[in-house]
Amino acid sequence: QQQVKQSPQSLIVQKGGISIINCAYENTAFDYFPWYQQFPGKGPALLIAIRPDVSEKKEGRFTISFNKSAKQFSLHIMDSQPGDSATYFCAASRDNYGQNFVFGPGTRLSVLP
Amino acid sequence: KAGVTQTPRYLIKTRGQQVTLSCSPISGHRSVSWYQQTPGQGLQFLFEYFSETQRNKGNFPGRFSGRQFSNSRSEMNVSTLELGDSALYLCASSQTASTEAFFGQGTRLTVV
């Protein structure tokens, strides 16, 4: 019940295309859902996060869509660029229970020039 | 504003030894959490400290321990190292439990 599932495992997109990564969770107590981007040799960097009281959040080219009833959320990267090539992790936590995130297994995104 | 600083960046240890890793959070952040990242298991939560108290603990054996000092700096210790402990150990800090978490670059531990 603590697991967060993530798909696809890897994704190849042409420059200018839309990258979509999906996540699903089981624990309905989760109420904070961040996405992290990680480049080789670096720690994960927070991209965008959402709480269940909204269905969508947009920041620049990055959008999170959240479906509370289906217990699913997704990351959309519009106008994907080669510089977006990285591994993306979704995560979930219970907001007031500390920073103990449950991470998805990650999606390796490659954006072709 | 300086980010989360982890030292050392790389470590090579022998099986059976112990190791201590250090994390300096962003100034003003009081919560520090630790994660283990491996290719097989991904990112797994180790423990979290807030105001010098361990608030949460993941499913790791007692060989993994940590502490937090009054200046919010944190250390984690792994005793009796095993080959399977080879991983990237990441530290994240946040102001409180419900604010954004920022990760350091990690310490790459190799056990031989």
Side-chain angles (χ1 to χ4, degrees), chain A residues 52-72:
Chain A
D53 52 345
V54 297
S55 59
E56 187 174 281
K57 183 175 181 180
K58 184 176 181 179
E59 289 184 2
R61 296 185 294 109
F62 301 93
T63 300
I64 299 179
S65 298
F66 188 85
N67 185 329
K68 188 174 181 179
S69 60
K71 292 184 283 186
Q72 294 175 348

Side-chain angles (χ1 to χ4, degrees), chain A residues 32 36 38 41-46 51 89 94-105, chain B residues 9 31 33 35 37 43 45 48 55-56 88 90 94 96-105:
Chain A
Y32 177 67
Y36 282 86
Q38 187 177 29
K42 303 289 187 181
L46 178 65
R51 300 181 194 277
F89 296 92
R94 298 174 67 182
D95 203 8
N96 289 318
Y97 282 76
Q99 295 286 0
N100 53 338
F101 295 122
V102 178
F103 281 90
Chain B
R9 288 293 312 280
S31 170
S33 51
Y35 292 82
Q37 185 174 28
L43 278 153
F45 171 74
E48 184 216 4
R55 185 160 57 179
N56 288 292
L88 180 67
L90 292 159
S94 61
T96 66
S98 57
T99 55
E100 300 172 345
F102 297 88
F103 282 83
Q105 293 200 79

Side-chain angles (χ1 to χ4, degrees), chain A:
Chain A
Q1 198 176 14
Q2 282 289 94
Q3 198 177 17
V4 174
K5 297 179 181 178
Q6 183 173 347
S7 63
Q9 190 174 20
S10 62
L11 181 61
I12 299 175
V13 173
Q14 293 286 339
K15 179 182 175 182
I18 302 173
S19 303
I20 302 174
I21 304 171
N22 301 298
C23 285
Y25 63 98
E26 291 293 326
N27 190 345
T28 55
F30 287 146
D31 53 13
Y32 177 67
F33 304 89
W35 283 89
Y36 282 86
Q37 178 191 57
Q38 187 177 29
F39 293 103
K42 303 289 187 181
L46 178 65
L47 261 182
I48 186 172
I50 198 167
R51 300 181 194 277
D53 52 345
V54 297
S55 59
E56 187 174 281
K57 183 175 181 180
K58 184 176 181 179
E59 289 184 2
R61 296 185 294 109
F62 301 93
T63 300
I64 299 179
S65 298
F66 188 85
N67 185 329
K68 188 174 181 179
S69 60
K71 292 184 283 186
Q72 294 175 348
F73 58 111
S74 60
L75 175 69
H76 292 63
I77 306 174
M78 312 299 287
D79 187 27
S80 299
Q81 299 296 312
D84 297 330
S85 298
T87 300
Y88 292 81
F89 296 92
C90 61
S93 72
R94 298 174 67 182
D95 203 8
N96 289 318
Y97 282 76
Q99 295 286 0
N100 53 338
F101 295 122
V102 178
F103 281 90
T107 296
R108 181 169 291 183
L109 171 65
S110 296
V111 182
L112 303 179

Side-chain angles (χ1 to χ4, degrees), chain B residues 80-96:
Chain B
T80 319
L81 283 165
E82 301 176 359
L83 295 178
D85 297 333
S86 295
L88 180 67
Y89 290 89
L90 292 159
C91 164
S93 78
S94 61
Q95 287 183 316
T96 66

Side-chain angles (χ1 to χ4, degrees), chain B residues 22-92:
Chain B
S22 179
C23 172
S24 293
I26 293 171
S27 178
H29 286 194
R30 295 167 61 195
S31 170
V32 174
S33 51
W34 289 88
Y35 292 82
Q36 181 195 65
Q37 185 174 28
T38 60
Q41 299 298 318
L43 278 153
Q44 292 186 287
F45 171 74
L46 280 156
F47 29 66
E48 184 216 4
Y49 288 87
F50 184 83
S51 295
E52 301 179 67
T53 301
Q54 186 181 87
R55 185 160 57 179
N56 288 292
K57 190 176 190 307
N59 295 323
F60 279 81
R63 300 185 297 108
F64 292 81
S65 63
R67 58 177 176 169
Q68 186 180 34
F69 302 96
S70 58
N71 62 358
S72 294
R73 191 177 70 84
S74 177
E75 289 181 347
M76 71 163 281
N77 185 76
V78 188
S79 62
T80 319
L81 283 165
E82 301 176 359
L83 295 178
D85 297 333
S86 295
L88 180 67
Y89 290 89
L90 292 159
C91 164

